[in-house]
Amino acid sequence: MKIKLIDIAHGRSGDKGDAANVGIIAYDDKGFEIIKKNLTVENVKKHFEGICLGDVERFELPNIRALNFLLHNTLGGGGTVSLKHDAQGKTLAAALLRMEIEI
Amino acid sequence: MKEKIRIASGQGFWGDLVDAPYTQVTAGPIDYLVMDYLAEVTMSILQKQKNKNPKLGYARDIPELMERILPVCIEKNIKIITNGGGVNPEACAEAIMEVAKKLSIKKMKIAVVVGDNIKDNIDEIISAGCNLNNMETGESIVKVKDSLLSANVYFGAMPIVESLKLGADIVITGRTTDTGLTLAPMIYEFGWKETDYDLLSAGTIGGHILECGGQASGGNFLGDWQSVPDLVKIGFPIAEAYPNGEMVITKHDSLGGKVSFETIAEQLVYEIGDPKNYITPDCVADFTTVHLEELEPNRVKVFGIKGFEATEFYKVSCSYSSGYTSSGSLTYSWPQALTKAKVADKILRGRLRNLDLKFDEIRSELIGYNACHGPLATELKEDNINEVMLRVSVRGDDFKSVERFGKEIAPLILTGPPSVTGFAGGRPKPSEVVAYWPALIPKKLVKPEVKIFEL
């Protein structure tokens, strides 16, 4: 069965220079197991193909059922240099929650 | 020692809800009002203002705001801490003194934290062996030294603690960390030591929760966002802090918004890197140790926090002039809205090419279609979108090219695809790019100072 990540998790994203930070939080423990398994560095990098031009770093915050990703080279130079409408990556958490997952 | 203190967030950035600080001091009991005005971009904006007028360079909303809240804060003994002093905290304090005189306030003490501005000491710092290398690229500051507009050290909580010890009613700082504003009153009231790493980390994480204002209490909440009550009257977050480092995040009962596990969790993961290694001038906080527990509606306990000793460095935020940008947009309607916008973009680029203009980058976006999510956006099977906004932006060092770009947008209305609108406000004008240069500096090379202004 396929589900959308947005059905089991929420999150928030922002900027750190030219990198975007994307934090994803599962609504329950079962959801956290699913996101831990599916949101690997490789899968996230592939999902953001054409958006994230650099490396992806992944961190776990198990107490709050969250994963944090740093997407390097993503914001068109970042800050005031970026020409992007979403120069601060504010909508990228929602973009990751578009991912479809097989469970 | 007080059994607990209530620290209220009054502002998440410069430009946030104007009435929020007034609401925080009037809608219920608090002990401290903390206001974060400084995003990285804000320092550049303030620097531009100070360049035009040496009496500016701080968050200009502050004097007007003080006129409203000072009488209440004095009556209720609420202390105010803000980094809204920007690149000119002394001018900010002077402006507040004028307001206090106008209000016939008899007794007031403002502490100003200075020493963060190192722009005029760059050569000394380089000769002391610190090249202020860019934290992202590794390049030496020498590369941009001549176009440097500002250079400020991020101070932490300690200069504010010193200010509070001197009896300040109001503390105005320049580039102080957002988290230090909230941590400082906890250190001061509970007598925490510089080696109480777990406690300092707890207060730091409390600061991280408060630093974006309503973003912790139901604003920009991606969870069940439609369940958040009464965002019209959103209550900004309040940290009830205890001497053992535990906190309860809450808001005033009479106000809207929502404080829950989910709203706090979203703010915790906002703009962090490695969660085990959240570096501030005061400590290194470990976000993986945070526990959240909903005690009752709109009361979330934050506890279990651990942390480590601070590093030997301060972070430095430099800004430098780096060319110009300009951005223009036009809206195309059904039928074939998407195709029209794409054709208009091609025509525009053809004209820019024929003019032989020089840009480092040209970017075209289709707002209403895929500007936010790019290749992840749902593709249209046929071009039946109701309308789309074409937004084209350029960046480059050549002012004339960037200026000329602004003259090529409006002509598309009469010389491009049909059913086009949305061009108002005149030609887009070039704006100077103030780029950001993050670096580190050994703590021993700078010294925070506290200056007192008194009535």
Side-chain angles (χ1 to χ4, degrees):
Chain A
M1 189 181 77
K2 269 193 173 171
I3 57 160
K4 271 216 155 112
L5 196 51
I6 197 159
D7 296 327
I8 61 163
H10 59 118
R12 180 166 292 171
S13 53
D15 65 323
K16 287 191 80 67
D18 193 23
N21 121 273
V22 180
I24 298 294
I25 304 143
Y27 285 112
D28 55 31
D29 293 343
K30 201 177 138 205
F32 186 52
E33 291 307 314
I34 296 173
I35 64 171
K36 264 201 298 189
K37 192 173 146 215
N38 288 278
L39 292 180
T40 59
V41 166
E42 296 73 28
N43 287 350
V44 171
K45 171 80 184 162
K46 192 165 163 243
H47 183 78
F48 281 114
E49 201 176 340
I51 297 173
C52 172
L53 308 177
D55 290 340
V56 171
E57 284 186 274
R58 177 187 185 276
F59 306 97
E60 295 186 2
L61 298 90
N63 290 350
I64 58 165
R65 305 186 295 263
L67 298 175
N68 183 45
F69 297 93
L70 276 182
L71 314 178
H72 293 278
N73 195 0
T74 296
L75 299 177
T80 51
V81 174
S82 176
L83 297 182
K84 286 195 162 189
H85 185 52
D86 187 13
Q88 293 171 311
K90 298 270 188 190
T91 66
L92 293 179
L96 184 49
L97 294 173
R98 284 172 172 269
M99 187 189 273
E100 285 193 336
I101 287 178
E102 189 74 48
I103 57 163
Chain B
M1 191 198 298
K2 284 183 185 156
E3 177 190 314
K4 68 171 178 188
I5 53 168
R6 296 184 196 84
I7 305 166
S9 161
Q11 198 82 166
F13 68 104
W14 186 14
D16 206 349
L17 278 179
V18 171
D19 287 341
Y22 182 76
T23 311
Q24 286 292 59
V25 299
T26 52
I30 62 165
D31 303 297
Y32 287 87
L33 177 71
V34 296
M35 294 181 288
D36 171 32
Y37 280 94
L38 302 183
E40 278 149 7
V41 178
T42 319
M43 290 303 272
S44 332
I45 297 166
L46 291 171
Q47 190 59 50
K48 279 186 187 178
Q49 294 175 355
K50 193 184 173 188
N51 291 348
K52 282 183 195 151
N53 180 346
K55 286 196 162 167
L56 296 180
Y58 58 89
R60 263 184 295 171
D61 298 5
I62 290 181
E64 199 180 320
L65 168 68
M66 290 295 175
E67 202 166 332
R68 285 186 77 194
I69 65 172
L70 270 185
V72 185
C73 290
I74 286 171
E75 191 205 319
K76 296 188 172 181
N77 193 23
I78 297 168
K79 293 184 176 176
I80 303 166
I81 302 172
T82 179
N83 59 10
V87 296
N88 205 353
E90 286 152 300
C92 182
E94 278 161 16
I96 299 170
M97 293 303 275
E98 289 306 309
V99 170
K101 282 177 200 156
K102 193 170 138 194
L103 293 170
S104 308
I105 290 169
K106 299 278 179 292
K107 197 169 176 298
M108 194 178 71
K109 200 182 257 192
I110 304 178
V112 173
V113 176
V114 294
D116 61 308
N117 190 344
I118 56 165
K119 184 174 173 286
D120 297 330
N121 313 66
I122 298 290
D123 288 329
E124 278 168 50
I125 290 165
I126 292 173
S127 29
C130 171
N131 282 332
L132 296 168
N133 293 340
N134 187 306
M135 288 170 73
E136 286 167 20
T137 65
E139 295 164 296
S140 160
I141 192 88
V142 173
K143 187 186 168 191
V144 296
K145 200 165 80 81
D146 295 335
S147 48
L148 211 58
L149 296 173
S150 71
N152 293 79
V153 176
Y154 281 82
F155 288 149
M158 288 309 173
I160 302 174
V161 174
E162 194 189 325
S163 304
L164 294 170
K165 282 182 182 164
L166 291 169
D169 304 295
I170 301 172
V171 185
I172 305 289
T173 79
R175 185 64 279 190
T176 288
T177 57
D178 314 345
T179 55
L181 305 177
T182 298
L183 169 61
M186 299 187 206
I187 297 173
Y188 168 68
E189 296 280 3
F190 304 142
W192 294 348
K193 295 190 199 68
E194 280 184 65
T195 49
D196 290 335
Y197 306 126
D198 292 345
L199 297 173
L200 299 179
S201 297
T204 295
I205 289 177
H208 182 89
I209 293 170
L210 256 50
E211 76 184 33
C212 295
Q215 216 180 212
S217 53
N220 189 25
F221 174 51
L222 184 51
D224 185 11
W225 65 272
Q226 291 184 90
S227 74
V228 178
D230 200 7
L231 282 173
V232 173
K233 287 196 299 171
I234 184 171
F236 277 35
I238 295 169
E240 267 181 28
Y242 296 84
N244 66 357
E246 293 184 356
M247 291 168 286
V248 174
I249 307 298
T250 185
K251 64 177 188 66
H252 288 316
D253 290 337
S254 58
L255 302 174
K258 183 176 177 176
V259 178
S260 68
F261 183 105
E262 279 86 12
T263 66
I264 301 299
E266 279 196 21
Q267 180 55 24
L268 279 173
V269 297
Y270 181 64
E271 288 184 348
I272 60 167
D274 177 357
K276 282 182 185 291
N277 208 18
Y278 185 90
I279 301 171
T280 75
D282 305 300
C283 61
V284 177
D286 182 351
F287 275 54
T288 67
T289 59
V290 181
H291 285 77
L292 300 178
E293 184 190 345
E294 281 190 18
L295 301 175
E296 53 190 284
N298 296 312
R299 286 183 66 80
V300 175
K301 185 174 164 185
V302 181
F303 63 102
I305 294 166
K306 304 274 180 214
F308 313 96
E309 186 177 2
T311 73
E312 285 169 20
F313 298 94
Y314 285 123
K315 192 175 171 184
V316 182
S317 157
C318 305
S319 64
Y320 64 99
S321 180
S322 178
Y324 305 89
T325 57
S326 185
S327 187
S329 56
L330 290 169
T331 301
Y332 292 88
S333 88
W334 183 94
Q336 296 116 26
L338 200 55
T339 312
K340 288 171 187 164
K342 286 179 180 171
V343 170
D345 182 40
K346 260 191 199 160
I347 296 168
L348 173 64
R349 283 172 180 253
R351 289 177 185 163
L352 295 176
R353 208 164 31 246
N354 290 344
L355 287 164
D356 203 21
L357 303 181
K358 297 201 172 32
F359 304 113
D360 292 337
E361 189 186 351
I362 307 179
R363 182 177 177 87
S364 307
E365 296 178 304
L366 299 162
I367 295 178
Y369 177 52
N370 67 356
C372 292
H373 290 178
L376 290 165
T378 312
E379 244 178 278
L380 291 181
K381 290 196 180 72
E382 53 177 322
D383 185 359
N384 60 359
I385 196 169
N386 288 309
E387 62 208 25
V388 66
M389 182 191 274
L390 170 68
R391 176 184 187 264
V392 185
S393 314
V394 298
R395 189 185 65 242
D397 289 332
D398 182 35
F399 181 85
K400 285 202 166 131
S401 291
V402 176
E403 186 182 42
R404 181 58 198 261
F405 159 83
K407 295 178 179 170
E408 294 299 318
I409 305 289
L412 282 165
I413 296 171
L414 303 186
T415 63
S419 37
V420 54
T421 186
F423 189 84
R427 289 168 169 163
K429 291 190 175 56
S431 59
E432 189 188 2
V433 177
V434 180
Y436 175 60
W437 184 282
L440 295 176
I441 188 169
K443 282 180 175 167
K444 58 177 194 278
L445 292 185
V446 271
K447 197 174 176 331
E449 268 177 69
V450 176
K451 287 190 180 175
I452 296 290
F453 292 67
E454 214 164 350
L455 262 187

